[in-house]
Amino acid sequence: MTSSVTKTKTGKQISCKVHMLDDQDLPFHIDPKATGQDLLNTICNNIDLLERDYFGLEYLDSHRNVCWLESDKPILKQVSETKFSFCVKFYTPDPGQLEEEFT
């Protein structure tokens, strides 16, 4: 595994890098037992995104295939590298139904 583990006041943390839609790479630190949903929530909180259902996280598996990170499973049971891409998962058929212009 190529992720780095750091020790903080609250215990061990895993360093993740997330490539955002605006081409930024943002670092995040998560609990080793965190699920995909935990990381997605952390990212959405960081960018003040309320309509989270349209987005997800992608990663490259060991065969270099692009896969969606499953939200209900621990991250470290799904990936060997903690590099992700924040992506649009669903497009709404009617953009007028979106509550926020930011989405």
Side-chain angles (χ1 to χ4, degrees), residues 44 48-53 100 102-103:
C44 291
D48 294 324
L49 179 66
L50 299 178
E51 295 174 298
R52 302 166 183 210
D53 296 338
E100 290 192 342
F102 181 66
T103 304

Side-chain angles (χ1 to χ4, degrees), residues 10-80:
T10 57
K12 291 181 182 178
Q13 295 281 297
I14 303 296
S15 294
C16 298
K17 187 175 282 189
V18 180
H19 187 78
M20 302 300 288
L21 293 169
D22 62 358
D23 247 3
Q24 289 186 75
D25 287 326
L26 298 179
F28 291 93
H29 301 283
I30 57 168
D31 184 277
K33 295 179 182 175
T35 63
Q37 188 64 51
D38 294 332
L39 178 57
L40 187 61
N41 287 342
T42 299
I43 294 165
C44 291
N45 288 341
N46 185 61
I47 62 172
D48 294 324
L49 179 66
L50 299 178
E51 295 174 298
R52 302 166 183 210
D53 296 338
Y54 299 103
F55 302 92
L57 295 168
E58 289 181 339
Y59 67 95
L60 293 177
D61 70 7
S62 59
H63 302 290
R64 309 304 289 168
N65 296 314
V66 177
C67 302
W68 288 107
L69 187 67
E70 294 187 45
S71 61
D72 59 339
K73 294 184 180 177
I75 293 169
L76 295 182
K77 293 196 181 234
Q78 298 180 65
V79 300
S80 58

